[in-house]
Every structure is written in C-alpha cells, then in structure tokens.
C-alpha cells in the first residue's frame, strides 16, 4: 500500500505562508494532479512530501509510515522536478539506470527497465548520447524515464512535460497516463496546465494562495466548481459569472439578469431568500447555454459582439448588463457580429455564487 496522507501541513518562508494547513489523502495507486496558478504553493507542497523542504507543521505519511522529518532517501519515492537534474558526465543509459544501480538491481532487469522507460519517452535511439548534446525537452524526458525506471510505489512529478513541444506533450500525456496505470504507482503530478490536469488526473486538487480549494474528479471540478476561483481557473473559456439581482415578489424569489427574470427552482428558493434586494453571481459554462435565433418566453435577447469559429464550435462574445459572457454554439448555427440571438439558461447548469465570498451556494 502506498497511500500518501498529508495532514494539516503548513510551510512558511519567513512570514510568508506558502502552504497553509493543507490536508489531502492520495489513495494507493491514485493519480492526483496539483493544479494552480504560478506561486500558489504546488512545488513547495511537493517538496515537503519529497523531504526536500520540511513542513513547519503537520504530518505526512507514506504507506502508513510517518515520513514528515525523514530525509528524501528514506522515503522510497521517485521524483521528477522542473529543473530536471540529470548527470552531465553520464550518457542517457547510465542516467536512466542510475537509481537502479544504486539499488543493486541486476543487469538484465536494469536493461529491461531502461529500455521500457526509454521507449515510452521516445529516447531509445539516444541511449549513448550525453546530455550536453540534447535539447531541453530531451533532457526532461531522460529525467522522467529515470523516475519511471526506478519502479517506486510513489512518484512525484513537477511539470514533467513543461519543456516538450505541443504535439509531443499531447502524445506523452496519454502515454504517461497509461504507463502510470501499468506500473501502479501512487502519483502526485504538479502542473499549471489545466488541460493536462483534466485529461490525466483521477482527481484534481486545485490550489490558490497555499490552500486547496477543491479536490475531486475532473468532471466534478469542471461541472461543479466549489467556488468562483475554481470555475474561473478551469476550462477554456473559463466559467462565466454574471451578476444577477435577487428580488422577492408575491412570496417568490426572482433573479433579474440584464432586465430578464429567472425564477429559480423551488429547492433553490431558501438559499436565495437571504439575498433579497442584493446582487448574486450566476456561474454557467459557455457550452451550457442554449442559443436560439428566434425569441422565446424563457430566453434572454442579447446582441452578439464577436464570433470566433473554433472548428468544433463557434464561440460568441456577448454583453449581458455589464458582464462579458462567452457562449459556445454549434458551428452550423448561423450568426454574425451585431446579430440578435436569444439565450436560455438551463436551471440545472447554473451555479449560484455568493458575490462577496465567491462560494457556490447551490447546488
Ligand atoms: P510555479 O507554478 O510558478 O512553479 P508554485 O505553485 O509551484 O509555482 P511555489 O514554488 O511552491 O509555487 O512557491 C510558492 C510561493 O512561495 C511563491 O510565492 C514563492 O515565491 C515562495 N517561495 C518558494 N520557495 C521559496 C524560498 N525558498 N524562499 C522564499 N519564498 C519562496
């Protein structure tokens, strides 16, 4: 069992709190992606798990063993960091085989594992080459191959694909995911690339300012973000947040957006009552609005500002009140800038958000 348990871990640099009371359990063989903007504390947390920068507070266990204050070599983990430290005086083969030799793995098994890892990373033709004769992306792949060849139960990876070109990155994403499943390692993978996170992770932990705001399956993080930050960080385009005004009339709560009234479903009414007379945010993804080219009673008339054909869909930019909203339509939907269209907001796709805290109220 290689479960990783992080309990109330805090890491400071002077007065600055880089990781703030983080708790997270990564199940045996699970692949968790740590995702967040630059400087949010992802690497600092990973380094605490690796033992490269001890936590100031809290506890970290690997497979049930408390490793909080153990040096890295006693933690039985493999790491790939952004600064892919590979040995310049060793060729690619020896670099990949390094950890295996240190662990006295026999020659045949070493050869097998080096070859398998090198093939995965498409560097099998470079085994004799020295790092000085390789590109940054190739060196990064050597570092990933070395970590994988080790066969550790716990793999920590910090932006391991960051130096690869877009096409190779796309290919490696799927291959790495398949391989990690095959070698059954418990993996924490740091990235600020949300597509990588959505496509690779069993779960995604979304971080900001040293705090994990949500940790869940990619589809849940995408469809049901816990707050405005998560909805706005995940997805391209990010989730739209429009301002609505809550009004109570004849015992019913209504929400006006751009002069159009939505009557929220009964289960939502109690959540909205305290907001009577106040603004609220409605979060909705671009692809979840329905666009009509004719008026309808339950649809808001809007004017199209920009049309961006993106192949699989067209992205419309629309102004609702003071909010700029992105709406995805089928590429066959005929529309041009300045046209009027009508928008429907399916009730089950709306996230109701407290404007001040950014917290999702419902559902
Ligand atoms: P990136 O995606 O840019 O790598 P990150 O989320 O991994 O960012 P960290 O490297 O963990 O972020 O840094 C978190 C915060 O801690 C940053 O504000 C950074 O400036 C600060 N920090 C990191 N290491 C140190 C250090 N050794 N001394 C002081 N501050 C540090």
């Amino acid at each position: 069992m290689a479960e990783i348990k992080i309990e109330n871990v805090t890491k400071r640099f002077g007065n600055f709190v880089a990781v703030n009371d983080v708790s997270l359990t990564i199940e045996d063989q699970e692949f968790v992606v740590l995702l967040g903007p630059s400087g949010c504390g992802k690497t600092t947390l990973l380094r605490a798990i690796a033992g490269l920068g001890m936590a100031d507070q809290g506890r970290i266990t690997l497979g049930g063993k408390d490793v909080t204050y153990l040096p890295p070599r006693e933690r039985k983990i493999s790491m790939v960091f952004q600064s892919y430290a590979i040995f310049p005086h060793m060729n690619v083969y020896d670099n990949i085989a390094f950890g295996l030799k240190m662990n006295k793995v026999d020659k045949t098994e070493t050869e097998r594992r080096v070859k398998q890892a090198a093939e995965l990373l498409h560097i099998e033709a470079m085994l004799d080459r020295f790092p000085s004769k390789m590109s940054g992306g190739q060196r990064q792949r050597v570092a990933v191959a070395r970590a994988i060849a080790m066969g550790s139960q716990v793999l920590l990876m910090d932006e391991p694909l960051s130096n690869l070109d877009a096409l190779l990155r796309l290919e490696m994403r799927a291959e790495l995911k398949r391989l990690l499943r095959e070698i059954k390692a418990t993996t924490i993978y740091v990235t600020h690339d949300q597509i990588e996170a959505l496509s690779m992770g069993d779960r995604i932990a979304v971080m900001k300012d040293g705090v994990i705001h949500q940790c869940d399956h990619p589809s849940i993080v995408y469809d049901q973000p816990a707050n405005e930050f998560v909805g706005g960080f995940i997805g391209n385009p990010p989730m739209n947040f429009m301002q609505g005004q809550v009004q109570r009339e004849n015992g019913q709560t209504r929400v006006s957006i751009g002069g159009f009234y939505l009557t929220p479903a009964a289960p939502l009414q109690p959540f909205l009552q305290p907001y009577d007379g106040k603004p609220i945010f409605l979060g909705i993804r671009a692809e979840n609005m329905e666009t009509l080219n004719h008026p309808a009673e339950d649809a808001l008339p809007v004017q199209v500002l920009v049309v961006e054909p993106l192949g699989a869909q067209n992205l419309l930019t629309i102004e609702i009140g003071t909010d700029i909203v992105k709406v995805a339509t089928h590429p066959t939907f005929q529309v041009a800038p300045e046209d009027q269209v009508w928008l429907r907001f399916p009730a089950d796709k709306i996230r109701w958000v407290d404007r001040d805290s950014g917290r999702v109220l419902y559902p």
Side-chain angles (χ1 to χ4, degrees):
M1 281 286 283
E3 177 196 77
I4 306 171
K5 203 163 188 172
I6 302 158
E7 292 171 83
N8 307 103
V9 164
T10 293
K11 175 74 186 172
R12 296 185 192 88
F13 297 107
N15 287 332
F16 179 74
V17 185
V19 173
N20 192 355
D21 196 27
V22 164
S23 296
L24 178 67
T25 300
I26 297 115
E27 308 289 339
D28 181 41
Q29 299 180 29
E30 195 182 16
F31 186 153
V32 167
V33 176
L34 270 184
L35 175 74
S38 184
C40 71
K42 307 180 294 291
T43 299
T44 306
L45 181 59
L46 205 68
R47 286 174 61 85
I49 300 164
L52 296 170
M54 300 294 177
D56 295 315
Q57 269 163 260
R59 189 166 178 260
I60 299 169
T61 60
L62 298 181
K65 182 179 172 190
D66 189 337
V67 299
T68 318
Y69 301 108
L70 285 187
R73 65 179 178 282
E74 288 177 36
R75 298 192 182 205
K76 297 201 175 122
I77 52 180
S78 290
M79 303 171 247
V80 186
F81 283 98
Q82 246 167 326
S83 55
Y84 34 89
I86 55 174
F87 304 111
H89 60 284
M90 288 183 192
N91 67 15
V92 169
Y93 183 96
D94 290 335
N95 259 293
I96 301 176
F98 180 76
L100 300 171
K101 280 187 186 156
M102 297 297 285
N103 286 353
K104 302 197 169 39
V105 175
D106 76 50
K107 197 163 171 263
T108 319
E109 178 62 8
T110 299
E111 266 178 28
R112 190 188 69 78
R113 289 212 221 161
V114 171
K115 192 163 169 279
Q116 186 198 32
E119 275 172 9
L120 168 84
L121 278 304
H122 302 307
I123 47 175
E124 68 272 30
M126 297 178 191
L127 290 173
D128 294 331
R129 221 186 266 189
F130 283 85
S132 58
K133 303 226 159 59
M134 302 174 88
S135 71
Q138 288 165 341
R139 277 182 242 166
Q140 193 169 35
R141 282 184 275 159
V142 175
V144 176
R146 184 172 58 192
I148 282 169
M150 281 291 289
S152 304
Q153 292 292 286
V154 174
L155 260 177
L156 305 179
M157 301 185 146
D158 192 351
E159 309 250 7
L161 308 183
S162 62
N163 285 318
L164 307 186
D165 64 57
L167 199 64
L168 190 56
R169 208 172 158 135
L170 188 82
E171 191 183 324
M172 288 267 314
R173 224 160 62 193
E175 290 194 27
L176 200 55
K177 187 174 171 177
R178 179 184 56 76
L179 186 94
L180 291 174
R181 188 155 294 146
E182 228 171 84
I183 63 177
K184 299 186 166 36
T186 308
T187 306
I188 306 183
Y189 186 104
V190 163
T191 183
H192 59 252
D193 180 335
Q194 41 137 339
I195 302 295
E196 219 164 87
L198 286 167
S199 64
M200 293 178 87
D202 292 325
R203 280 189 300 156
I204 305 176
V206 190
M207 255 185 117
K208 185 187 165 211
D209 298 337
V211 173
I212 293 180
H213 284 248
Q214 186 170 14
C215 182
D216 220 318
H217 300 278
S219 63
I220 294 185
V221 171
Y222 184 83
D223 289 325
Q224 296 166 38
N227 56 33
E228 190 189 353
F229 164 69
V230 176
F233 189 73
I234 302 242
N236 186 13
M239 184 173 259
N240 295 298
F241 289 95
M242 298 173 268
Q243 183 157 307
Q245 189 72 24
V246 181
Q247 294 174 1
R248 213 163 152 70
E249 243 180 49
N250 303 329
Q252 251 209 344
T253 301
R254 301 190 307 169
V255 178
S256 126
I257 43 170
F260 173 78
Y261 288 96
L262 287 176
T263 305
L268 177 61
Q269 295 269 338
F271 289 92
L272 290 183
Q273 270 176 25
Y275 292 85
D276 187 15
K278 295 183 190 154
I280 197 164
F281 276 158
L282 290 78
I284 189 160
R285 291 229 172 257
E287 67 275 23
N288 287 338
M289 282 169 274
E290 208 180 315
T291 320
L292 312 173
N293 54 12
H294 54 81
E297 211 175 280
D298 58 346
L300 169 70
V302 290
Q303 200 177 33
V304 176
L305 301 178
V306 183
V307 180
E308 294 171 81
L310 300 177
Q313 62 182 27
N314 288 346
L315 197 62
L316 314 185
T317 303
I318 278 163
E319 204 170 14
I320 299 178
T322 53
D323 298 308
I324 296 293
V325 173
K326 300 284 185 186
V327 181
T329 60
H330 196 270
T332 54
F333 184 83
Q334 293 291 322
V335 64
E338 295 181 27
D339 281 357
Q340 186 165 61
V341 294
W342 286 261
L343 283 186
R344 247 189 211 136
F345 306 95
D348 61 334
K349 301 293 186 195
I350 300 175
R351 306 286 287 162
W352 298 86
V353 178
D354 178 273
R355 202 182 64 148
D356 295 331
S357 68
R359 195 171 50 86
V360 169
L361 297 171
Y362 184 90

